[in-house]
Amino acid sequence: MKRHDFRKLFKSVGPAVLPVIHVTDAEQATRNVRILVEEGAPGCFLINHDFGVERVLPIIAHVRGKFPALWMGVNFLAVTGKDAFPVLGKLKHDGVAVDGYWADDARIDERRLGDDQVEAMEIAAALKASGWSGLYTGGTCFKKQREVAPEDYEYSARLATGFMDAVCTSGVATGKAVDRAKITTFRRAIGDEALTLASGITPDNAHLYMDDVDGFMVATGINREGDFYNIEPTKLARLLKLTRQHGAKP
């Protein structure tokens, strides 16, 4: 997906701010989604950080019922698209619309040639078979996955464009800002393709990445101080304002 098309999808002139909610229960998820809707965020991701996939599915359905028009994506923690896409296909069949899937690991292997990306190809086949057709952004050189040497970032990012709508990367850990040079390398590698970033974004450092990144998946940087689970509205509002101002520049 091209950068223009990604931003158009979210009606965003700057990077799209997509808050990530670490779900605990239906009430907590609904409360936080209501905050981001009120502040004008164009969408969100729900993630099952503390329990398995089966337990989060009714919460996803509950949130969708409360916010039928919201762009809503999910991340099934520690699950690749090979297992996630059949679940998303079943949710679609059951009438639960999920608009996007973010995988921490898209299984891109910089040690192999482009036509030998065995696991990424299996994921692509699972996506096709599932009947689900949302936006797929997949972790590449991503935190807590198999470590990739910096000299291989460019090749990895270029490979990734063939398997997902938006390439996704991160810093070294949750809440840790990514090295600016890594983002520069990714942007050079993928050209005009969409790039998302999923760790360490705050209202104080977002300006460092706005030229190169098209989507910010953000939790720690907009949550209450010392609270992993709940959005602080003023922080989110500030980040949204900054991205809109950046996008409005001539």
Side-chain angles (χ1 to χ4, degrees):
M1 177 180 283
K2 298 300 182 184
R3 305 185 70 184
H4 169 79
D5 294 327
F6 183 93
R7 296 191 182 201
K8 186 176 180 180
L9 173 66
F10 295 103
K11 297 179 174 61
S12 178
V13 293
V17 176
L18 302 170
V20 177
I21 300 168
H22 296 91
V23 171
T24 61
D25 55 48
E27 187 280 329
Q28 174 262 355
T30 300
R31 183 177 67 251
N32 280 275
V33 170
R34 185 168 291 112
I35 290 171
L36 68 90
V37 169
E38 289 173 349
E39 296 300 335
C44 69
F45 280 91
L46 307 183
I47 182 170
N48 57 312
H49 194 271
D50 297 329
F51 42 79
V53 172
E54 288 301 319
R55 184 172 161 188
V56 79
L57 298 182
I59 299 175
I60 293 170
H62 176 85
V63 173
R64 173 52 75 207
K66 293 290 185 180
F67 301 94
L70 174 69
W71 193 98
M72 183 178 72
V74 300
N75 178 322
F76 298 144
L77 193 68
V79 174
T80 73
K82 183 178 179 180
D83 293 319
F85 290 134
V87 175
L88 294 173
K90 186 176 186 307
L91 285 172
K92 178 181 177 181
H93 180 268
D94 293 342
V96 180
V98 175
D99 301 296
Y101 184 67
W102 154 36
D104 286 351
D105 193 346
R107 308 305 290 172
I108 301 301
D109 191 342
E110 79 288 351
R111 300 165 298 184
R112 293 175 176 267
L113 296 175
D115 60 359
D116 192 32
Q117 294 295 308
V118 178
E119 291 184 272
M121 289 175 177
E122 289 176 344
I123 291 169
L127 172 56
K128 184 177 181 179
S130 73
W132 182 78
S133 57
L135 181 142
Y136 172 35
T137 183
T140 306
C141 310
F142 204 82
K143 60 188 178 181
K144 300 181 181 179
Q145 312 304 317
R146 179 178 58 78
E147 189 171 352
V148 177
E151 57 266 29
D152 292 325
Y153 287 167
E154 188 163 355
Y155 179 57
S156 298
R158 191 176 300 115
L159 283 173
T161 61
F163 293 98
M164 60 199 72
D165 299 301
V167 180
C168 181
T169 197
S170 73
V172 297
T174 299
K176 299 296 183 182
V178 65
D179 185 346
R180 184 68 185 80
K182 183 179 184 182
I183 296 301
T184 299
T185 298
F186 266 63
R187 175 49 61 202
R188 180 174 65 244
I190 69 175
D192 199 36
E193 299 298 315
L195 177 63
T196 63
L197 179 57
S199 78
I201 289 295
T202 72
D204 293 320
N205 68 16
H207 67 281
L208 298 173
Y209 308 103
M210 288 188 193
D211 285 339
D212 290 326
V213 175
D214 304 296
F216 293 148
M217 283 101 85
V218 55
T220 307
I222 58 168
N223 281 355
R224 298 174 186 170
E225 195 68 31
D227 186 340
F228 194 59
Y229 301 98
N230 293 292
I231 293 171
E232 169 51 59
T234 57
K235 290 182 180 180
L236 174 57
R238 184 180 169 208
L239 181 58
L240 287 165
K241 181 179 180 180
L242 290 169
T243 57
R244 290 165 184 154
Q245 288 176 337
H246 182 84
K249 290 180 179 178

